[in-house]
Amino acid sequence: MVDRQVPHESFHGQYAGMVSRSVAFLTDRLIIAGTLAALSGLGGLVFQQLRIDDWLGIGPLAPTTAAAVAAVVGACFDLIYCAGFWLLAGRTPGKQAMGLLVVRTDGQRIRLGGALLRWLGYYVSGILLLGYLWVLVDDRRQAFHDKLAGTVVVYSRPREMGLTAPAPIRDRLRDRGRRQEAAQAPE
């Protein structure tokens, strides 16, 4: 299949807005924070019970070492969570709850490079929150991380919302729905 750029105008009215995107983002942040808190507590308990700091001979450095390990594990988990869900399902659980889908600007699924750029772009967007607020003034409601990765966030159920999806996205959603119905049909 040939990738082609869909005209900008065909997406009008289809893009996800600031409120739905923010709720989805905060939902994902809560899931990630809760999971990391549980893992951190469990890791701390294991670390303390097995006296790993004594084994490693880092006694007074243990809190600093633990904080560094937690930061690296947290960043890795965040990357795997976000990029993994974007690649596998086109959305994170927060976006799923809000009925949103992350796709490339041509309507195709996001690829690994785009997912990594989008995740790194979260940090760019976070600078004074300007990248996130850009959604309010952009015609395609793209934040800086969307522009960097060449993605848009759209409603995955446009017909239910009274929206008309552009042809590439509409066709992909229709095909996805047919596959899901076929998979759920009794044999």
Side-chain angles (χ1 to χ4, degrees), residues 12 15 37 39 45 67 71 87 92-93 124 134 136 149 154 181:
H12 186 70
Y15 300 110
L39 289 174
L45 184 63
L87 292 169
T92 57
V124 174
W134 192 255
L136 296 172
V154 296
E181 288 173 6

Side-chain angles (χ1 to χ4, degrees), residues 4 28 43 49 83 118 123 151 172:
R4 62 181 179 83
D28 288 326
Q49 292 301 316
R118 191 170 199 278
Y123 295 98
T151 59
R172 290 204 178 276

Side-chain angles (χ1 to χ4, degrees), residues 5-78:
Q5 184 73 20
V6 177
H8 169 273
E9 295 77 26
S10 68
F11 281 98
H12 186 70
Q14 174 64 22
Y15 300 110
M18 182 69 154
V19 173
S20 55
R21 289 180 64 146
S22 296
V23 170
F25 181 80
L26 292 174
T27 301
D28 288 326
R29 296 293 114 194
L30 286 173
I31 292 169
I32 291 167
T35 303
L36 288 175
L39 289 174
S40 178
L42 181 62
L45 184 63
V46 169
F47 196 87
Q48 186 178 32
Q49 292 301 316
L50 296 179
R51 298 184 182 267
I52 293 175
D53 55 337
D54 291 338
W55 288 6
L56 297 175
I58 59 171
L61 296 175
T64 305
T65 304
V69 168
V72 170
V73 169
C76 290
F77 180 77
D78 188 51

Side-chain angles (χ1 to χ4, degrees), residues 120-150:
L120 287 171
Y122 272 169
Y123 295 98
V124 174
S125 290
I127 298 172
L128 300 176
L129 299 178
L130 293 177
Y132 293 112
L133 293 174
W134 192 255
V135 170
L136 296 172
V137 297
D138 189 79
D139 288 342
R140 293 189 287 180
R141 296 182 182 167
Q142 288 178 294
F144 287 176
H145 54 274
D146 291 310
K147 291 195 175 292
L148 184 64

Side-chain angles (χ1 to χ4, degrees), residues 54-186:
D54 291 338
W55 288 6
L56 297 175
I58 59 171
L61 296 175
T64 305
T65 304
V69 168
V72 170
V73 169
C76 290
F77 180 77
D78 188 51
L79 171 62
I80 291 167
Y81 176 92
C82 292
F85 278 115
W86 292 331
L87 292 169
L88 295 173
R91 58 180 130 214
T92 57
K95 285 190 177 30
Q96 169 72 32
M98 295 304 297
L100 305 178
L101 187 65
V102 178
V103 295
R104 295 185 341 208
T105 55
D106 63 1
Q108 301 289 318
R109 289 183 70 122
I110 191 170
R111 294 186 182 139
L112 180 59
L116 294 175
L117 279 174
R118 191 170 199 278
W119 180 77
L120 287 171
Y122 272 169
Y123 295 98
V124 174
S125 290
I127 298 172
L128 300 176
L129 299 178
L130 293 177
Y132 293 112
L133 293 174
W134 192 255
V135 170
L136 296 172
V137 297
D138 189 79
D139 288 342
R140 293 189 287 180
R141 296 182 182 167
Q142 288 178 294
F144 287 176
H145 54 274
D146 291 310
K147 291 195 175 292
L148 184 64
T151 59
V152 291
V153 179
V154 296
Y155 291 103
S156 62
R157 299 181 294 265
R159 194 175 314 137
E160 296 169 17
M161 302 182 75
L163 303 173
T164 306
I169 294 175
R170 184 181 60 238
D171 294 343
R172 290 204 178 276
L173 293 174
R174 184 186 64 233
D175 292 344
R176 178 183 289 174
R178 286 180 183 161
R179 283 193 305 272
Q180 288 174 349
E181 288 173 6
Q184 293 174 354

